[in-house]
Amino acid sequence: QSALTQPASVSGSPGQSITISCTGTSSDVGGYNYVSWYQQHPGKAPKLMIYDVSNRPSGVSNRFSGSKSGNTASLTISGLQAEDEADYYCSSYTSSSTLKVFGGGTKLTVL
Amino acid sequence: EVQLVESGGGLVQPGGSLRLSCAASGFTFSSYWMSWVRQAPGKGLEWVANIKQDGSEKYYVDSVKGRFTISRDNAKNSLYLQMNSLRAEDTAVYYCARDFTVTTGFDYWGQGTLVTVSS
């Protein structure tokens, strides 16, 4: 069982917006602004999409945005495109000895 | 261009050992924390370990403590993971990743190397 909880799947039509949630505790998501999000296409390495809750690395589309409220972080993708279909993972710094934890991943399907 | 290239994966019997390597290029290796992240077949990502720039601090996920050792050689721009007492549940693709900072995400990843633990 993953330390952070994500929905197993979400779906949306091209042009729509979707949101993926990532729920943790006060020891990780809720306690620090160190949530990051990754996109992973089949057979490929993950790609950093959001870091420190809401910051986008250079080169990442502004259709991707992040936020946090309490112990839950969210990734929103607006203007869905076919190439957004992938697995998405959240990650957070944690005060436990593990240091960093991931969510179980969410499969995004673009209908 | 930042590049991380893992090597050393393969098939090993339960209880055996394996050493993974990661060759880094395109950035000042000695300036960054580095991590190993794994992904079991068809499963999600799991952070395994990371190491401070000078090797003075190391952290591990509980499931590998006492069995895995992370290390680095800044002169060779290389990261390592020594894996001992391997178990079937260690079967995964192991990724080398650069820590953006010690607390935040991983901004560059290698292509991964597959470790299979089976008799």
Side-chain angles (χ1 to χ4, degrees):
Chain A
Q1 187 171 353
S2 302
L4 306 179
T5 301
Q6 298 180 234
S9 63
V10 298
S11 63
S13 299
Q16 288 186 332
S17 295
I18 62 95
T19 297
I20 300 172
S21 62
C22 170
T23 302
T25 69
S26 57
S27 296
D28 39 63
V29 174
Y32 308 94
N33 289 324
Y34 297 136
V35 176
S36 51
W37 289 91
Y38 304 86
Q39 177 191 66
Q40 186 179 35
H41 288 108
K44 301 294 187 181
K47 175 186 177 183
L48 179 65
M49 306 302 285
I50 296 287
Y51 68 95
D52 292 354
V53 176
S54 60
N55 294 298
R56 274 189 313 276
S58 175
V60 172
S61 170
N62 59 9
R63 297 187 299 105
F64 292 83
S65 62
S67 62
K68 190 187 85 168
S69 178
N71 294 337
T72 299
S74 299
L75 172 71
T76 298
I77 308 174
S78 59
L80 268 181
Q81 299 178 2
E83 58 262 37
D84 298 333
E85 185 163 293
D87 293 326
Y88 290 85
Y89 295 89
C90 63
S91 176
S92 175
Y93 174 82
T94 171
S95 58
S96 76
S97 60
T98 300
L99 200 67
K100 295 191 180 184
V101 291
F102 281 95
T106 299
K107 181 176 180 59
L108 169 62
T109 301
V110 180
L111 302 170
Chain B
E1 179 192 6
V2 172
Q3 285 197 328
L4 298 170
V5 180
E6 302 93 337
S7 61
L11 175 63
V12 61
Q13 292 187 339
S17 298
L18 212 54
R19 188 195 196 206
L20 305 183
S21 299
C22 171
S25 61
F27 66 102
T28 305
F29 180 73
S30 59
S31 295
Y32 289 87
W33 283 75
M34 296 293 298
S35 282
W36 288 99
V37 178
R38 67 184 178 183
Q39 186 169 35
K43 302 297 183 181
L45 300 170
E46 181 182 40
W47 174 81
V48 174
N50 71 354
I51 184 169
K52 192 176 180 179
Q53 292 91 330
D54 62 359
S56 61
E57 292 183 37
K58 305 174 185 181
Y59 298 90
Y60 301 90
V61 68
D62 287 347
S63 59
V64 309
K65 284 179 182 177
R67 300 189 300 123
F68 290 12
T69 301
I70 189 172
S71 62
R72 64 192 297 162
D73 185 334
N74 288 339
K76 295 183 178 180
N77 291 336
S78 292
L79 177 72
Y80 306 102
L81 186 67
Q82 177 67 44
M83 303 185 295
N84 298 330
S85 302
L86 283 162
R87 306 166 180 168
E89 55 264 35
D90 296 318
T91 294
V93 173
Y94 284 73
Y95 293 101
C96 166
R98 190 178 84 169
D99 290 55
F100 197 43
T101 70
V102 65
T103 53
T104 193
F106 313 99
D107 58 350
Y108 287 95
W109 299 65
Q111 85 289 348
T113 187
L114 177 62
V115 172
T116 302
V117 183
S118 175
S119 54

